[in-house]
Amino acid sequence: MTEFAKPYLQLGLIGYPVKHSLSPRIHQAALESLGVEGRYHLYPVPPLPEGKSDLEALLEQLRQGVIDGLNVTIPHKQSVLPYLDELTEDAGAIGAVNTLYEKRGRLIGDNTDAAGFWADLQLRLGRWKGERRALVLGAGGAARAVVYALLQYGWHVAVTARRREQSLSLVENFRRLSGKLPDRAAGGESDAPCLEVIPFTEQGISDFLAHTPASRRVLIVNATPVGMEPDFDDNPLPASLPLPEGAFVYDLIYRPAETALLRSALAQGLPACNGLGMLVEQAALAFERWTGEPAPRRAMYAAVQSYQIEDINSDQDKVYSRDRCNPPRD
């Protein structure tokens, strides 16, 4: 049994909505695996300004040590920033947080989404050969983490979102940081990272994808909430837009397990996966920030796999025929 200064840990998730979240299941599994008493709560906080008082109250509980750690999800990954005292290097570069903790009376904002996304992506893609090109749908906090991770490894990234000004803001943020972003690509496999905005229109997206011939590959990442419960049939891409033969589709949404975007990709015989793996990886990193202990990833992945068995019907199960979550080494 792991020993902590506090006999009981209070953890939780701020967002809206949050009732669909699997985070309680994942973090409770981690606590139980380490023999630690505690509970992971869901805190539904409406968007600001409506949720301002609730958000401030929770952050004060974190500052006072009543709560030991918080995750943050849509729509507060950026709106929470003015309330924090300090950001980690990753969170500052991304401009969004998903993990909060207290240190000597100061509220610290961190971002484990980028590292979590990249860790899971490597499990899915294996060794990516050829030009590293990606289309990221969305420009909010989740999209910023995805773009940050891809730029670090030398990808050419195109961003498109319904709100063009949000896309432009994202690109401007990372262009200011371009000289500070490490290029971790090895072996000369990619050019310098590149970032651009493309119009959120069928023509704009089609033109970008048209530059990916059948012999080459492109990564398409949905970092929007489009397709999330209860809007199962919504697709972030125009329904009439065919995906290129070299596409790999990664949808950050994990509930439902098979979104309209994933169904479209699978219908064309393309490899695709949802965001369950990323969810576990970012959760493991957040758990380590809160506890200072190595996260029991096997137990956390097992909690996700049991969800798949319980909640995914036989048709949806084909999404994971090649891409099931593989429990890593703890």
Side-chain angles (χ1 to χ4, degrees):
M1 180 173 178
T2 303
E3 294 293 334
F4 288 101
K6 292 184 66 174
Y8 193 92
L9 294 183
Q10 297 279 11
L11 308 172
L13 172 67
I14 295 173
Y16 196 85
V18 290
K19 64 180 181 179
H20 68 283
S21 177
L22 293 179
S23 291
R25 183 182 294 221
I26 293 171
H27 284 286
Q28 287 296 151
L31 291 168
E32 292 171 10
S33 176
L34 295 179
V36 176
E37 293 291 326
R39 185 178 177 189
Y40 189 96
H41 304 262
L42 292 177
Y43 299 111
V45 176
L48 302 185
E50 180 184 352
K52 184 174 184 291
S53 61
D54 289 342
L55 180 62
E56 291 175 345
L58 287 168
L59 294 180
E60 183 60 25
Q61 290 184 60
L62 178 62
R63 189 185 296 276
Q64 297 299 327
V66 178
I67 296 175
D68 302 290
L70 288 170
N71 283 135
V72 184
T73 190
I74 296 172
H76 296 298
K77 290 188 176 187
Q78 292 174 279
S79 62
V80 74
L81 295 179
Y83 297 94
L84 306 180
D85 300 309
E86 183 180 335
L87 298 178
T88 64
E89 183 178 355
D90 283 350
I94 294 167
V97 299
N98 78 323
T99 300
L100 306 178
Y101 56 92
E102 178 270 337
K103 186 176 182 180
R104 293 191 289 273
R106 293 171 59 81
L107 294 185
I108 313 299
D110 198 356
N111 192 304
T112 65
D113 279 336
F117 166 74
W118 183 256
D120 187 59
L121 185 66
Q122 297 315 290
L123 290 175
R124 309 300 169 194
L125 293 183
R127 189 172 179 82
W128 183 281
K129 296 181 180 180
E131 185 182 9
R132 301 180 179 193
R133 301 177 74 248
L135 173 64
V136 177
L137 310 176
R144 284 172 174 260
V146 169
V147 170
Y148 179 72
L150 294 173
L151 289 179
Q152 284 185 307
Y153 290 89
W155 285 64
H156 178 142
V157 182
V159 176
T160 186
R162 295 182 187 275
R163 293 171 54 197
R164 182 172 174 81
E165 66 276 11
Q166 193 177 27
S167 298
L168 293 172
S169 174
L170 181 154
V171 170
E172 178 60 26
N173 175 73
F174 285 117
R175 283 181 178 163
R176 288 198 305 269
L177 293 168
S178 59
K180 302 178 183 179
L181 288 175
D183 183 359
R184 297 176 177 168
E189 297 175 357
S190 66
D191 297 324
C194 175
L195 184 59
E196 65 175 310
V197 171
I198 63 173
F200 188 77
T201 63
E202 183 170 351
Q203 186 62 52
I205 297 172
S206 179
D207 287 346
F208 176 82
L209 295 178
H211 287 85
T212 305
S215 60
R216 298 166 71 183
R217 303 176 72 188
V218 63
L219 172 67
I220 299 174
V221 182
N222 177 36
T224 79
V226 178
M228 188 181 291
E229 289 186 349
D231 302 314
F232 301 113
D233 295 325
D234 290 352
N235 193 324
L237 287 176
S240 59
L241 182 68
L243 299 172
E245 294 181 24
F248 182 100
V249 178
Y250 192 114
D251 196 330
L252 268 58
I253 294 171
Y254 59 87
R255 204 162 194 174
E258 185 181 288
T259 61
L261 177 61
L262 292 181
R263 289 197 300 270
S264 176
L266 291 166
Q268 295 184 51
L270 299 174
C273 70
N274 67 24
L276 274 171
M278 174 184 172
L279 177 73
V280 175
E281 287 294 335
Q282 64 80 28
L285 293 169
F287 190 85
E288 291 171 353
R289 305 292 194 274
W290 298 328
T291 66
E293 295 288 331
R297 282 176 169 78
R298 287 186 181 275
M300 298 170 89
Y301 270 84
V304 173
Q305 288 179 315
S306 66
Y307 153 73
Q308 292 176 359
I309 294 170
E310 294 169 9
D311 298 347
I312 299 175
N313 63 39
S314 58
D315 288 335
Q316 292 172 322
D317 197 49
K318 66 186 177 184
V319 176
Y320 302 96
S321 60
R322 293 157 298 191
D323 292 306
R324 282 192 177 277
C325 291
N326 299 311
R329 296 185 298 272
D330 285 342

